[in-house]
Amino acid sequence: MNHFLDIHKTDATALRGMIDQAAAMKTARQGRPKGTPDDDQPLAGHMVALIFEKPSTRTRVSFDVGVRQMGGQTMVLSGQDMQLGHGETIADTARVLSCYVDMIMIRTFDESVLLEMADYADVPVINGLTDRSHPCQIMADILTFEEHRGPIKGKKVVWTGDGNNVCASFLHAAGQFGFDVTFSGPEQLDPEEEFVGLARKAGVSVTIERDPIKAVQGADLVVADTWVSMHDSQSSKERRHNMLRSYQVNDALMAHAKPDALFMHCLPAHREEEVTSAVMDGPQSVIFDEAENRLHAQKAVMRYCLGV
């Protein structure tokens, strides 16, 4: 049994195997209607619990469809349905769910909920997102980059804006896949020092560059994410916009990256805020390939977790 909690906690060889398997499964489905099953049905007879404390579009749909394409069944639960951690401990919830399902994917706020679930569950647990990391997204991003530009090893990835949970998972992945990261954003929103240190210890370069124009020079990939959360207050949103306005990804900024640099965003995006529509809909953008690849990458993650 393998959990998938964070990229830096997963063996690099296993990660590479997941990316390669995801690419193969995607190729095998070309031209096939979305609702048809895969030829291979590795999840046949398996039940997967999908738990959402945080709302979701891509995570919910991609996991649900992925399980079904591989022959399994899903049980979708919200935090309110379960009152997760209220009245019953996370540990007891994990033990109970392990009696009914073969795997648990959880999208939650506090990382401690994920870790306690994994500690006490007798089935694999997948991190669908926490406030600290988003590993499934970055697996899809690496798959996307490599299908457009080849191996990501040795490439320069530039993150602009807020050093948030998605940025953290890029740093986790940098050491495992061998690419360099440059962060460009205000000091108040720097990524966690622990994650910067992990990547550097793994032998890759992590650079903090406040000037976004300097940051993107030589970039193979430029990545942005939303500046505000749905839970932020109006005053917090205004402060963040003031801090981050100069880090918007637009045509002028992309002109300083490599001519064949790609642009990614995990979505949902606030157009004309962290990124312009001209970039999102432009020739360097692969945001919708990236969204589709959540499906294929997560199918490979689930197969890894179940050993199928």
Side-chain angles (χ1 to χ4, degrees):
M1 183 184 77
N2 296 305
H3 296 309
F4 187 73
L5 304 180
D6 270 315
I7 290 175
H8 67 295
K9 297 177 181 178
T10 307
D11 179 74
T13 301
L15 291 168
R16 170 47 57 192
M18 284 182 254
I19 295 295
D20 293 344
Q21 186 172 57
M25 287 190 291
K26 181 176 182 178
T27 298
R29 287 199 61 88
Q30 285 181 356
R32 179 176 296 192
K34 304 296 190 295
T36 57
D38 292 349
D39 291 332
D40 188 11
Q41 295 281 278
L43 265 61
H46 289 81
M47 177 66 73
V48 181
L50 307 177
I51 303 172
F52 294 92
E53 281 200 291
K54 275 191 169 184
S56 167
T57 299
R58 277 150 293 279
T59 300
R60 177 168 178 164
V61 176
S62 57
F63 267 107
D64 200 347
V65 171
V67 172
R68 292 166 188 256
Q69 287 182 352
M70 293 192 292
Q73 298 183 65
T74 60
M75 177 179 294
V76 181
L77 301 164
S78 73
Q80 289 181 327
D81 292 334
M82 305 177 64
Q83 296 188 340
L84 199 61
H86 303 285
E88 182 173 60
T89 65
I90 302 298
D92 286 350
T93 300
R95 292 185 181 105
V96 169
L97 285 175
S98 297
C99 298
Y100 305 138
V101 304
D102 301 292
M103 184 160 52
I104 300 166
M105 187 289 301
I106 182 167
R107 180 180 173 95
T108 187
F109 293 90
D110 194 330
E111 182 185 55
S112 66
V113 174
L114 167 77
L115 298 179
E116 188 172 354
M117 184 74 73
D119 282 342
Y120 289 92
D122 294 326
V123 298
V125 174
I126 297 173
N127 177 1
L129 174 141
T130 72
D131 287 343
R132 288 194 85 196
S133 64
H134 196 0
C136 289
Q137 178 63 57
I138 273 48
M139 293 296 283
D141 292 353
I142 291 169
L143 174 62
T144 306
F145 183 89
E146 294 197 341
E147 70 183 6
H148 284 272
R149 295 289 184 267
I152 197 168
K153 185 175 182 178
K155 302 299 184 181
K156 178 179 178 179
V157 175
V158 177
W159 180 275
T160 66
D162 180 4
N164 62 12
N165 52 352
V166 185
C167 178
S169 286
F170 260 114
L171 289 168
H172 295 163
Q176 299 288 63
F177 287 94
F179 59 85
D180 299 328
V181 176
T182 296
F183 171 80
S184 191
E187 185 176 0
Q188 302 96 309
L189 299 178
D190 276 355
E192 292 187 39
E193 289 184 9
E194 175 189 345
F195 300 151
V196 172
L198 277 170
R200 288 174 173 164
K201 187 176 180 180
V204 297
S205 171
V206 179
T207 303
I208 307 295
E209 174 54 68
R210 303 296 172 205
D211 183 340
I213 291 176
K214 291 180 180 178
V216 301
Q217 290 174 3
D220 297 286
L221 171 62
V222 178
V223 191
D225 196 1
T226 180
W227 291 343
V228 296
S229 165
M230 66 182 73
H231 306 287
D232 289 339
S233 66
Q234 186 58 39
S235 59
S236 174
K237 291 177 182 179
E238 291 172 0
R239 286 195 303 273
R240 280 177 162 267
H241 277 91
N242 289 335
M243 278 194 293
L244 290 161
R245 192 166 287 116
S246 63
Y247 295 97
Q248 181 191 72
V249 180
N250 49 40
D251 283 338
L253 184 64
M254 290 298 293
H256 291 277
K258 285 184 177 178
D260 64 346
L262 298 177
F263 171 76
M264 290 188 190
H265 191 302
C266 66
L267 303 178
H270 295 83
R271 288 173 178 257
E272 314 312 327
E273 292 185 12
E274 69 269 13
V275 58
T276 62
S277 290
V279 171
M280 285 185 69
D281 300 326
Q284 292 171 282
S285 173
V286 290
I287 59 172
F288 296 112
D289 290 341
E290 184 185 2
E292 178 190 345
N293 283 339
R294 287 289 300 278
L295 169 65
H296 308 295
Q298 288 162 187
K299 286 168 70 174
V301 168
M302 288 189 280
R303 295 189 69 161
Y304 161 77
C305 288
L306 288 172
V308 294

